[in-house]
Amino acid sequence: MKTILILAAAMALSATASAADPAAGREKAKACAVCHGENGVSQVPDFPKLAGQHRDYLARALNDYKSGARKNAIMAGQVANLKRGDIADLAAYYSSLQALTTKY
Ligand code: HEC
């Protein structure tokens, strides 16, 4: 029984990951652009650049704001109405963008 539950949970997790849709995330990201910039490149140091960050890091950050594990009053308000699938789509979108590179 326990094995079946773990298996079901693992399948649910992988289904969520594979269902993530960057194009849908792009639409949902319109609400984020005012702070995080067009294409996830913020022009203001207070707002992190999201372009090219790792997908699992982005999803983790958003889930942590939602659960309260990561505390920030601004972001708590932003994620309050996001569903699990929205977070997956947003993470897929921002991680698909070109990150900034530094020339040495
Ligand atoms: C009103 C401005 C504002 C809006 C709108 C906003 N954010 Fe943020 N976001 C912030 C600030 C400020 C931080 C830094 C918070 C902190 O220090 O934890 C942040 C942090 C983040 C982080 C963590 C980045 C990192 O490098 O750890 C993610 C991911 C994120 N935002 C995603 C989003 C998404 C997705 C949306 C749209 C649904 C959104 N934000 C909308 C202001 C905003």
Side-chain angles (χ1 to χ4, degrees), residues 28 31-32 34-36 46-50 53 57-58 61-62 65 70-72 74-75 78 82 90 94:
K28 294 167 187 174
C32 323
V34 61
C35 294
H36 291 288
D46 282 354
F47 303 137
K49 294 181 174 65
L50 303 180
Q53 291 211 43
Y57 174 81
L58 291 168
L62 292 171
Y65 286 127
R70 182 168 171 179
K71 295 187 195 326
N72 180 267
I74 298 172
M75 279 308 300
Q78 298 300 319
L82 294 183
L90 285 161
Y94 279 116

Side-chain angles (χ1 to χ4, degrees), residues 8-20 55 84 88:
M11 284 166 68
L13 277 177
S14 61
T16 312
S18 60
R55 179 158 129 173
R84 212 186 158 102

